Amino acid sequence: MATKSVHLIIEEKRKEMIQLAEDYGYTSNLTVQASQELDYLLNTFSPSDQHYLVSSN
């Protein structure tokens, strides 16, 4: 099982959201969902918590 830093996961989600916005527009359901997932990550892991590792499946 691979592990990734929270910082890397957040960065990947940010890039995904930007790509979705470019492909489908800012108000697309896909873009909004990615934005909400990014918000969750940012709100769950404050900067002081970003040393945690998260399992990726």
Side-chain angles (χ1 to χ4, degrees), residues 2-57:
T3 58
K4 294 182 182 180
S5 72
V6 172
H7 176 75
L8 180 59
I9 293 169
I10 289 171
E11 186 62 22
E12 288 174 348
K13 182 56 69 176
R14 184 185 69 79
K15 288 179 182 178
E16 175 189 347
M17 182 191 68
I18 291 169
Q19 188 62 54
L20 288 168
E22 289 175 358
D23 292 345
Y24 301 104
Y26 291 102
T27 59
S28 149
N29 287 339
L30 293 171
T31 304
V32 171
Q33 180 179 349
S35 176
Q36 291 171 341
E37 291 169 3
L38 178 59
D39 287 345
Y40 172 79
L41 290 170
L42 291 170
N43 290 322
T44 301
F45 301 101
S46 68
S48 63
D49 294 334
Q50 290 187 5
H51 64 276
Y52 290 115
L53 296 177
V54 179
S55 295
S56 62
N57 297 332

